[in-house]
Amino acid sequence: NAGVTQTPKFRVLKTGQSMTLLCAQDMNHEYMYWYRQDPGMGLRLIHYSVGEGTTAKGEVPDGYNVSRLKKQNFLLGLESAAPSQTSVYFCASSLGLAGVDTQYFGPGTRLTVL
Amino acid sequence: KQEVTQIPAALSVPEGENLVLNCSFTDSAIYNLQWFRQDPGKGLTSLLLIQSSQREQTSGRLNASLDKSSGRSTLYIAASQPGDSATYLCAVTGTASKLTFGTGTRLQVTL
């Protein structure tokens, strides 16, 4: 099994450009999450999904949108990138609720916004 | 608002030493606490999950304890090896199953 995969691994954007990060999991997990990790700060939850067709805001949702059209995929979109969105983005999935069941993380996407 | 603190931020020990990593949290109303390992340029791997009703969990050379009332957890690594070098993160699960992560302790085990 591939587990949780993320595409792309690296990306450089100019301010104002848009892009979509793709997360895919092959474990039939209901729950999926997007986090960002910044130096000196813990991982922070951007958005999450408790099942196909559902999305919910996390701790830092502004400037991001998400979609969960298929159970195995969770997309994170940046409509108009800003330098403050330079970060490493991690996707995770879990069978049940986070903290009740183990979360499995992808390898991350390093995004730089110039 | 829950805050999770990990001290020290970095630690270097010689191979073979036993070591303790610390995690503290401000709100004791948690469902559980997890310890993760993160290798450079990689995602997180869950090491141990301690439910709020438990005092400790063990996996191989790793032992994690939880004192919910005092807001503290420790991760004990026995007989450290160079392959243990990584960043160790703790995270607590609070209301609405949201995880709050600490900033991590970067461990270097030297030969």
Side-chain angles (χ1 to χ4, degrees), chain B residues 32-66:
Chain B
N32 56 48
L33 182 144
Q34 294 185 74
W35 283 94
F36 293 86
R37 169 183 173 136
Q38 184 176 26
D39 293 287
K42 301 288 180 63
L44 282 67
T45 300
S46 180
L47 297 173
L48 291 164
L49 186 153
I50 311 176
Q51 300 293 348
S52 60
S53 58
Q54 296 176 318
R55 298 285 293 184
E56 63 179 301
Q57 278 285 348
T58 298
S59 176
R61 294 183 294 108
L62 305 179
N63 176 276
S65 67
L66 174 64

PDB file of all heavy atoms in Angstrom, chain B residues 32-66:
ATOM      1  N   ASN B  32      -6.568  12.200  24.742  1.00  0.00           N
ATOM      2  CA  ASN B  32      -5.355  11.393  24.715  1.00  0.00           C
ATOM      3  C   ASN B  32      -4.168  12.246  24.307  1.00  0.00           C
ATOM      4  O   ASN B  32      -4.331  13.443  23.996  1.00  0.00           O
ATOM      5  CB  ASN B  32      -5.503  10.200  23.765  1.00  0.00           C
ATOM      6  CG  ASN B  32      -5.880  10.629  22.370  1.00  0.00           C
ATOM      7  OD1 ASN B  32      -5.281  11.536  21.811  1.00  0.00           O
ATOM      8  ND2 ASN B  32      -6.887   9.982  21.800  1.00  0.00           N
ATOM      9  N   LEU B  33      -3.016  11.640  24.307  1.00  0.00           N
ATOM     10  CA  LEU B  33      -1.774  12.297  23.907  1.00  0.00           C
ATOM     11  C   LEU B  33      -1.005  11.335  23.025  1.00  0.00           C
ATOM     12  O   LEU B  33      -0.974  10.128  23.286  1.00  0.00           O
ATOM     13  CB  LEU B  33      -0.950  12.679  25.142  1.00  0.00           C
ATOM     14  CG  LEU B  33       0.378  13.416  24.898  1.00  0.00           C
ATOM     15  CD1 LEU B  33       0.607  14.450  25.993  1.00  0.00           C
ATOM     16  CD2 LEU B  33       1.538  12.487  24.784  1.00  0.00           C
ATOM     17  N   GLN B  34      -0.404  11.889  21.990  1.00  0.00           N
ATOM     18  CA  GLN B  34       0.384  11.061  21.081  1.00  0.00           C
ATOM     19  C   GLN B  34       1.794  11.597  20.975  1.00  0.00           C
ATOM     20  O   GLN B  34       2.019  12.803  21.058  1.00  0.00           O
ATOM     21  CB  GLN B  34      -0.233  11.070  19.668  1.00  0.00           C
ATOM     22  CG  GLN B  34      -1.584  10.428  19.576  1.00  0.00           C
ATOM     23  CD  GLN B  34      -2.065  10.374  18.149  1.00  0.00           C
ATOM     24  OE1 GLN B  34      -1.580   9.580  17.354  1.00  0.00           O
ATOM     25  NE2 GLN B  34      -3.020  11.231  17.825  1.00  0.00           N
ATOM     26  N   TRP B  35       2.714  10.687  20.751  1.00  0.00           N
ATOM     27  CA  TRP B  35       4.090  11.040  20.407  1.00  0.00           C
ATOM     28  C   TRP B  35       4.334  10.617  18.960  1.00  0.00           C
ATOM     29  O   TRP B  35       3.987   9.499  18.565  1.00  0.00           O
ATOM     30  CB  TRP B  35       5.080  10.348  21.327  1.00  0.00           C
ATOM     31  CG  TRP B  35       5.178  10.983  22.673  1.00  0.00           C
ATOM     32  CD1 TRP B  35       4.499  10.645  23.807  1.00  0.00           C
ATOM     33  CD2 TRP B  35       6.039  12.072  23.036  1.00  0.00           C
ATOM     34  NE1 TRP B  35       4.871  11.468  24.851  1.00  0.00           N
ATOM     35  CE2 TRP B  35       5.817  12.348  24.403  1.00  0.00           C
ATOM     36  CE3 TRP B  35       6.979  12.845  22.344  1.00  0.00           C
ATOM     37  CZ2 TRP B  35       6.493  13.351  25.084  1.00  0.00           C
ATOM     38  CZ3 TRP B  35       7.650  13.851  23.018  1.00  0.00           C
ATOM     39  CH2 TRP B  35       7.403  14.100  24.379  1.00  0.00           C
ATOM     40  N   PHE B  36       4.932  11.547  18.192  1.00  0.00           N
ATOM     41  CA  PHE B  36       5.254  11.308  16.798  1.00  0.00           C
ATOM     42  C   PHE B  36       6.757  11.475  16.595  1.00  0.00           C
ATOM     43  O   PHE B  36       7.430  12.207  17.316  1.00  0.00           O
ATOM     44  CB  PHE B  36       4.547  12.315  15.881  1.00  0.00           C
ATOM     45  CG  PHE B  36       3.058  12.200  15.810  1.00  0.00           C
ATOM     46  CD1 PHE B  36       2.251  12.849  16.746  1.00  0.00           C
ATOM     47  CD2 PHE B  36       2.452  11.457  14.815  1.00  0.00           C
ATOM     48  CE1 PHE B  36       0.871  12.765  16.668  1.00  0.00           C
ATOM     49  CE2 PHE B  36       1.072  11.366  14.728  1.00  0.00           C
ATOM     50  CZ  PHE B  36       0.278  12.019  15.658  1.00  0.00           C
ATOM     51  N   ARG B  37       7.229  10.846  15.536  1.00  0.00           N
ATOM     52  CA  ARG B  37       8.605  11.036  15.088  1.00  0.00           C
ATOM     53  C   ARG B  37       8.554  11.654  13.700  1.00  0.00           C
ATOM     54  O   ARG B  37       7.731  11.265  12.857  1.00  0.00           O
ATOM     55  CB  ARG B  37       9.315   9.680  15.043  1.00  0.00           C
ATOM     56  CG  ARG B  37      10.654   9.718  14.347  1.00  0.00           C
ATOM     57  CD  ARG B  37      11.269   8.362  14.256  1.00  0.00           C
ATOM     58  NE  ARG B  37      12.473   8.433  13.434  1.00  0.00           N
ATOM     59  CZ  ARG B  37      13.617   7.839  13.740  1.00  0.00           C
ATOM     60  NH1 ARG B  37      13.705   7.093  14.837  1.00  0.00           N
ATOM     61  NH2 ARG B  37      14.664   7.964  12.953  1.00  0.00           N
ATOM     62  N   GLN B  38       9.432  12.638  13.452  1.00  0.00           N
ATOM     63  CA  GLN B  38       9.536  13.249  12.135  1.00  0.00           C
ATOM     64  C   GLN B  38      10.989  13.266  11.702  1.00  0.00           C
ATOM     65  O   GLN B  38      11.837  13.880  12.356  1.00  0.00           O
ATOM     66  CB  GLN B  38       8.967  14.670  12.130  1.00  0.00           C
ATOM     67  CG  GLN B  38       8.958  15.306  10.752  1.00  0.00           C
ATOM     68  CD  GLN B  38       8.308  16.677  10.717  1.00  0.00           C
ATOM     69  OE1 GLN B  38       8.266  17.388  11.716  1.00  0.00           O
ATOM     70  NE2 GLN B  38       7.786  17.068   9.565  1.00  0.00           N
ATOM     71  N   ASP B  39      11.272  12.586  10.592  1.00  0.00           N
ATOM     72  CA  ASP B  39      12.609  12.614  10.016  1.00  0.00           C
ATOM     73  C   ASP B  39      12.702  13.789   9.053  1.00  0.00           C
ATOM     74  O   ASP B  39      11.696  14.214   8.469  1.00  0.00           O
ATOM     75  CB  ASP B  39      12.903  11.301   9.313  1.00  0.00           C
ATOM     76  CG  ASP B  39      13.003  10.149  10.297  1.00  0.00           C
ATOM     77  OD1 ASP B  39      14.025  10.098  11.003  1.00  0.00           O
ATOM     78  OD2 ASP B  39      12.073   9.337  10.389  1.00  0.00           O
ATOM     79  N   PRO B  40      13.910  14.318   8.849  1.00  0.00           N
ATOM     80  CA  PRO B  40      14.072  15.498   7.985  1.00  0.00           C
ATOM     81  C   PRO B  40      13.440  15.298   6.615  1.00  0.00           C
ATOM     82  O   PRO B  40      13.691  14.298   5.944  1.00  0.00           O
ATOM     83  CB  PRO B  40      15.591  15.640   7.896  1.00  0.00           C
ATOM     84  CG  PRO B  40      16.099  15.041   9.155  1.00  0.00           C
ATOM     85  CD  PRO B  40      15.183  13.885   9.447  1.00  0.00           C
ATOM     86  N   GLY B  41      12.625  16.243   6.195  1.00  0.00           N
ATOM     87  CA  GLY B  41      11.996  16.186   4.886  1.00  0.00           C
ATOM     88  C   GLY B  41      10.910  15.134   4.761  1.00  0.00           C
ATOM     89  O   GLY B  41      10.462  14.842   3.647  1.00  0.00           O
ATOM     90  N   LYS B  42      10.492  14.582   5.877  1.00  0.00           N
ATOM     91  CA  LYS B  42       9.479  13.524   5.824  1.00  0.00           C
ATOM     92  C   LYS B  42       8.244  13.907   6.643  1.00  0.00           C
ATOM     93  O   LYS B  42       8.247  14.899   7.381  1.00  0.00           O
ATOM     94  CB  LYS B  42      10.071  12.224   6.388  1.00  0.00           C
ATOM     95  CG  LYS B  42      11.291  11.715   5.657  1.00  0.00           C
ATOM     96  CD  LYS B  42      10.947  11.159   4.302  1.00  0.00           C
ATOM     97  CE  LYS B  42      12.169  10.654   3.564  1.00  0.00           C
ATOM     98  NZ  LYS B  42      12.824   9.537   4.237  1.00  0.00           N
ATOM     99  N   GLY B  43       7.219  13.087   6.508  1.00  0.00           N
ATOM    100  CA  GLY B  43       6.018  13.296   7.305  1.00  0.00           C
ATOM    101  C   GLY B  43       6.183  12.731   8.705  1.00  0.00           C
ATOM    102  O   GLY B  43       7.248  12.260   9.084  1.00  0.00           O
ATOM    103  N   LEU B  44       5.112  12.768   9.474  1.00  0.00           N
ATOM    104  CA  LEU B  44       5.132  12.296  10.848  1.00  0.00           C
ATOM    105  C   LEU B  44       4.739  10.826  10.913  1.00  0.00           C
ATOM    106  O   LEU B  44       3.870  10.373  10.165  1.00  0.00           O
ATOM    107  CB  LEU B  44       4.149  13.097  11.698  1.00  0.00           C
ATOM    108  CG  LEU B  44       4.567  14.478  12.165  1.00  0.00           C
ATOM    109  CD1 LEU B  44       4.714  15.457  11.035  1.00  0.00           C
ATOM    110  CD2 LEU B  44       3.576  15.003  13.204  1.00  0.00           C
ATOM    111  N   THR B  45       5.361  10.127  11.840  1.00  0.00           N
ATOM    112  CA  THR B  45       5.021   8.728  12.102  1.00  0.00           C
ATOM    113  C   THR B  45       4.597   8.614  13.551  1.00  0.00           C
ATOM    114  O   THR B  45       5.326   9.043  14.458  1.00  0.00           O
ATOM    115  CB  THR B  45       6.227   7.815  11.850  1.00  0.00           C
ATOM    116  OG1 THR B  45       6.628   7.948  10.478  1.00  0.00           O
ATOM    117  CG2 THR B  45       5.864   6.365  12.129  1.00  0.00           C
ATOM    118  N   SER B  46       3.415   8.066  13.787  1.00  0.00           N
ATOM    119  CA  SER B  46       2.927   7.905  15.151  1.00  0.00           C
ATOM    120  C   SER B  46       3.728   6.831  15.874  1.00  0.00           C
ATOM    121  O   SER B  46       3.935   5.729  15.355  1.00  0.00           O
ATOM    122  CB  SER B  46       1.446   7.522  15.134  1.00  0.00           C
ATOM    123  OG  SER B  46       0.956   7.368  16.441  1.00  0.00           O
ATOM    124  N   LEU B  47       4.182   7.158  17.076  1.00  0.00           N
ATOM    125  CA  LEU B  47       4.970   6.213  17.878  1.00  0.00           C
ATOM    126  C   LEU B  47       4.112   5.567  18.967  1.00  0.00           C
ATOM    127  O   LEU B  47       4.092   4.348  19.115  1.00  0.00           O
ATOM    128  CB  LEU B  47       6.149   6.933  18.531  1.00  0.00           C
ATOM    129  CG  LEU B  47       7.182   7.536  17.590  1.00  0.00           C
ATOM    130  CD1 LEU B  47       8.190   8.371  18.375  1.00  0.00           C
ATOM    131  CD2 LEU B  47       7.901   6.435  16.816  1.00  0.00           C
ATOM    132  N   LEU B  48       3.447   6.407  19.745  1.00  0.00           N
ATOM    133  CA  LEU B  48       2.665   5.922  20.877  1.00  0.00           C
ATOM    134  C   LEU B  48       1.461   6.819  21.061  1.00  0.00           C
ATOM    135  O   LEU B  48       1.540   8.032  20.866  1.00  0.00           O
ATOM    136  CB  LEU B  48       3.500   5.928  22.164  1.00  0.00           C
ATOM    137  CG  LEU B  48       4.641   4.922  22.253  1.00  0.00           C
ATOM    138  CD1 LEU B  48       5.611   5.301  23.376  1.00  0.00           C
ATOM    139  CD2 LEU B  48       4.084   3.516  22.503  1.00  0.00           C
ATOM    140  N   LEU B  49       0.351   6.215  21.463  1.00  0.00           N
ATOM    141  CA  LEU B  49      -0.868   6.951  21.776  1.00  0.00           C
ATOM    142  C   LEU B  49      -1.294   6.530  23.174  1.00  0.00           C
ATOM    143  O   LEU B  49      -1.449   5.325  23.439  1.00  0.00           O
ATOM    144  CB  LEU B  49      -1.977   6.664  20.760  1.00  0.00           C
ATOM    145  CG  LEU B  49      -3.278   7.457  20.874  1.00  0.00           C
ATOM    146  CD1 LEU B  49      -3.956   7.553  19.514  1.00  0.00           C
ATOM    147  CD2 LEU B  49      -4.228   6.845  21.885  1.00  0.00           C
ATOM    148  N   ILE B  50      -1.443   7.494  24.078  1.00  0.00           N
ATOM    149  CA  ILE B  50      -1.869   7.209  25.449  1.00  0.00           C
ATOM    150  C   ILE B  50      -3.261   7.802  25.647  1.00  0.00           C
ATOM    151  O   ILE B  50      -3.452   9.013  25.504  1.00  0.00           O
ATOM    152  CB  ILE B  50      -0.924   7.836  26.490  1.00  0.00           C
ATOM    153  CG1 ILE B  50       0.536   7.531  26.175  1.00  0.00           C
ATOM    154  CG2 ILE B  50      -1.270   7.331  27.886  1.00  0.00           C
ATOM    155  CD1 ILE B  50       1.483   8.215  27.131  1.00  0.00           C
ATOM    156  N   GLN B  51      -4.210   6.948  25.976  1.00  0.00           N
ATOM    157  CA  GLN B  51      -5.552   7.443  26.270  1.00  0.00           C
ATOM    158  C   GLN B  51      -5.529   8.185  27.602  1.00  0.00           C
ATOM    159  O   GLN B  51      -4.678   7.941  28.454  1.00  0.00           O
ATOM    160  CB  GLN B  51      -6.552   6.295  26.331  1.00  0.00           C
ATOM    161  CG  GLN B  51      -6.667   5.498  25.049  1.00  0.00           C
ATOM    162  CD  GLN B  51      -7.263   6.287  23.905  1.00  0.00           C
ATOM    163  OE1 GLN B  51      -7.802   7.384  24.082  1.00  0.00           O
ATOM    164  NE2 GLN B  51      -7.172   5.764  22.702  1.00  0.00           N
ATOM    165  N   SER B  52      -6.491   9.077  27.797  1.00  0.00           N
ATOM    166  CA  SER B  52      -6.501   9.912  29.005  1.00  0.00           C
ATOM    167  C   SER B  52      -6.634   9.083  30.283  1.00  0.00           C
ATOM    168  O   SER B  52      -6.223   9.511  31.357  1.00  0.00           O
ATOM    169  CB  SER B  52      -7.639  10.931  28.938  1.00  0.00           C
ATOM    170  OG  SER B  52      -8.883  10.282  28.848  1.00  0.00           O
ATOM    171  N   SER B  53      -7.190   7.879  30.138  1.00  0.00           N
ATOM    172  CA  SER B  53      -7.373   7.017  31.312  1.00  0.00           C
ATOM    173  C   SER B  53      -6.126   6.184  31.619  1.00  0.00           C
ATOM    174  O   SER B  53      -6.071   5.504  32.652  1.00  0.00           O
ATOM    175  CB  SER B  53      -8.556   6.075  31.089  1.00  0.00           C
ATOM    176  OG  SER B  53      -8.343   5.296  29.933  1.00  0.00           O
ATOM    177  N   GLN B  54      -5.155   6.218  30.721  1.00  0.00           N
ATOM    178  CA  GLN B  54      -3.950   5.419  30.894  1.00  0.00           C
ATOM    179  C   GLN B  54      -2.837   6.256  31.513  1.00  0.00           C
ATOM    180  O   GLN B  54      -2.831   7.482  31.430  1.00  0.00           O
ATOM    181  CB  GLN B  54      -3.485   4.857  29.540  1.00  0.00           C
ATOM    182  CG  GLN B  54      -4.480   3.885  28.923  1.00  0.00           C
ATOM    183  CD  GLN B  54      -4.042   3.431  27.555  1.00  0.00           C
ATOM    184  OE1 GLN B  54      -3.564   4.228  26.746  1.00  0.00           O
ATOM    185  NE2 GLN B  54      -4.214   2.147  27.277  1.00  0.00           N
ATOM    186  N   ARG B  55      -1.872   5.556  32.086  1.00  0.00           N
ATOM    187  CA  ARG B  55      -0.722   6.235  32.685  1.00  0.00           C
ATOM    188  C   ARG B  55       0.507   6.126  31.796  1.00  0.00           C
ATOM    189  O   ARG B  55       1.369   6.981  31.837  1.00  0.00           O
ATOM    190  CB  ARG B  55      -0.407   5.624  34.041  1.00  0.00           C
ATOM    191  CG  ARG B  55      -1.515   5.759  35.054  1.00  0.00           C
ATOM    192  CD  ARG B  55      -1.604   7.148  35.591  1.00  0.00           C
ATOM    193  NE  ARG B  55      -0.470   7.532  36.392  1.00  0.00           N
ATOM    194  CZ  ARG B  55      -0.360   8.685  37.042  1.00  0.00           C
ATOM    195  NH1 ARG B  55      -1.324   9.580  36.943  1.00  0.00           N
ATOM    196  NH2 ARG B  55       0.697   8.973  37.762  1.00  0.00           N
ATOM    197  N   GLU B  56       0.591   5.026  31.030  1.00  0.00           N
ATOM    198  CA  GLU B  56       1.767   4.876  30.179  1.00  0.00           C
ATOM    199  C   GLU B  56       1.501   3.868  29.069  1.00  0.00           C
ATOM    200  O   GLU B  56       0.544   3.087  29.117  1.00  0.00           O
ATOM    201  CB  GLU B  56       2.989   4.448  30.983  1.00  0.00           C
ATOM    202  CG  GLU B  56       2.885   3.090  31.650  1.00  0.00           C
ATOM    203  CD  GLU B  56       4.163   2.763  32.410  1.00  0.00           C
ATOM    204  OE1 GLU B  56       5.242   2.725  31.776  1.00  0.00           O
ATOM    205  OE2 GLU B  56       4.076   2.560  33.628  1.00  0.00           O
ATOM    206  N   GLN B  57       2.373   3.945  28.056  1.00  0.00           N
ATOM    207  CA  GLN B  57       2.354   3.006  26.943  1.00  0.00           C
ATOM    208  C   GLN B  57       3.794   2.687  26.586  1.00  0.00           C
ATOM    209  O   GLN B  57       4.677   3.552  26.686  1.00  0.00           O
ATOM    210  CB  GLN B  57       1.654   3.622  25.715  1.00  0.00           C
ATOM    211  CG  GLN B  57       0.161   3.560  25.724  1.00  0.00           C
ATOM    212  CD  GLN B  57      -0.379   2.176  25.419  1.00  0.00           C
ATOM    213  OE1 GLN B  57       0.346   1.296  24.980  1.00  0.00           O
ATOM    214  NE2 GLN B  57      -1.662   1.991  25.649  1.00  0.00           N
ATOM    215  N   THR B  58       4.009   1.457  26.150  1.00  0.00           N
ATOM    216  CA  THR B  58       5.365   1.020  25.809  1.00  0.00           C
ATOM    217  C   THR B  58       5.363   0.407  24.429  1.00  0.00           C
ATOM    218  O   THR B  58       4.427  -0.299  24.041  1.00  0.00           O
ATOM    219  CB  THR B  58       5.869  -0.002  26.835  1.00  0.00           C
ATOM    220  OG1 THR B  58       5.922   0.630  28.125  1.00  0.00           O
ATOM    221  CG2 THR B  58       7.255  -0.502  26.467  1.00  0.00           C
ATOM    222  N   SER B  59       6.457   0.681  23.695  1.00  0.00           N
ATOM    223  CA  SER B  59       6.670   0.049  22.409  1.00  0.00           C
ATOM    224  C   SER B  59       8.167  -0.108  22.230  1.00  0.00           C
ATOM    225  O   SER B  59       8.890   0.862  21.998  1.00  0.00           O
ATOM    226  CB  SER B  59       6.085   0.891  21.273  1.00  0.00           C
ATOM    227  OG  SER B  59       6.387   0.315  20.014  1.00  0.00           O
ATOM    228  N   GLY B  60       8.643  -1.341  22.387  1.00  0.00           N
ATOM    229  CA  GLY B  60      10.072  -1.589  22.244  1.00  0.00           C
ATOM    230  C   GLY B  60      10.888  -0.799  23.255  1.00  0.00           C
ATOM    231  O   GLY B  60      10.665  -0.902  24.460  1.00  0.00           O
ATOM    232  N   ARG B  61      11.804   0.011  22.758  1.00  0.00           N
ATOM    233  CA  ARG B  61      12.663   0.824  23.655  1.00  0.00           C
ATOM    234  C   ARG B  61      12.000   2.140  24.067  1.00  0.00           C
ATOM    235  O   ARG B  61      12.626   2.946  24.769  1.00  0.00           O
ATOM    236  CB  ARG B  61      13.990   1.116  22.943  1.00  0.00           C
ATOM    237  CG  ARG B  61      14.850  -0.120  22.697  1.00  0.00           C
ATOM    238  CD  ARG B  61      16.195   0.244  22.042  1.00  0.00           C
ATOM    239  NE  ARG B  61      16.016   0.776  20.692  1.00  0.00           N
ATOM    240  CZ  ARG B  61      16.188   2.038  20.359  1.00  0.00           C
ATOM    241  NH1 ARG B  61      16.548   2.938  21.268  1.00  0.00           N
ATOM    242  NH2 ARG B  61      16.029   2.428  19.103  1.00  0.00           N
ATOM    243  N   LEU B  62      10.782   2.354  23.643  1.00  0.00           N
ATOM    244  CA  LEU B  62      10.084   3.600  23.938  1.00  0.00           C
ATOM    245  C   LEU B  62       9.044   3.385  25.024  1.00  0.00           C
ATOM    246  O   LEU B  62       8.323   2.388  25.014  1.00  0.00           O
ATOM    247  CB  LEU B  62       9.385   4.146  22.692  1.00  0.00           C
ATOM    248  CG  LEU B  62      10.231   4.371  21.447  1.00  0.00           C
ATOM    249  CD1 LEU B  62       9.356   4.893  20.321  1.00  0.00           C
ATOM    250  CD2 LEU B  62      11.378   5.302  21.721  1.00  0.00           C
ATOM    251  N   ASN B  63       8.993   4.336  25.953  1.00  0.00           N
ATOM    252  CA  ASN B  63       7.970   4.310  26.985  1.00  0.00           C
ATOM    253  C   ASN B  63       7.460   5.723  27.163  1.00  0.00           C
ATOM    254  O   ASN B  63       8.248   6.639  27.404  1.00  0.00           O
ATOM    255  CB  ASN B  63       8.529   3.769  28.304  1.00  0.00           C
ATOM    256  CG  ASN B  63       7.510   3.831  29.427  1.00  0.00           C
ATOM    257  OD1 ASN B  63       7.340   4.853  30.085  1.00  0.00           O
ATOM    258  ND2 ASN B  63       6.798   2.740  29.629  1.00  0.00           N
ATOM    259  N   ALA B  64       6.157   5.904  27.044  1.00  0.00           N
ATOM    260  CA  ALA B  64       5.566   7.223  27.230  1.00  0.00           C
ATOM    261  C   ALA B  64       4.668   7.199  28.450  1.00  0.00           C
ATOM    262  O   ALA B  64       3.902   6.257  28.643  1.00  0.00           O
ATOM    263  CB  ALA B  64       4.774   7.632  25.998  1.00  0.00           C
ATOM    264  N   SER B  65       4.768   8.229  29.258  1.00  0.00           N
ATOM    265  CA  SER B  65       3.910   8.344  30.437  1.00  0.00           C
ATOM    266  C   SER B  65       3.041   9.580  30.319  1.00  0.00           C
ATOM    267  O   SER B  65       3.376  10.530  29.596  1.00  0.00           O
ATOM    268  CB  SER B  65       4.765   8.430  31.707  1.00  0.00           C
ATOM    269  OG  SER B  65       5.489   9.658  31.716  1.00  0.00           O
ATOM    270  N   LEU B  66       1.938   9.557  31.021  1.00  0.00           N
ATOM    271  CA  LEU B  66       1.008  10.680  30.999  1.00  0.00           C
ATOM    272  C   LEU B  66       0.519  10.982  32.410  1.00  0.00           C
ATOM    273  O   LEU B  66       0.030  10.085  33.102  1.00  0.00           O
ATOM    274  CB  LEU B  66      -0.193  10.376  30.094  1.00  0.00           C
ATOM    275  CG  LEU B  66      -1.319  11.398  30.084  1.00  0.00           C
ATOM    276  CD1 LEU B  66      -0.843  12.735  29.535  1.00  0.00           C
ATOM    277  CD2 LEU B  66      -2.510  10.876  29.278  1.00  0.00           C
TER     278      LEU B  66
END
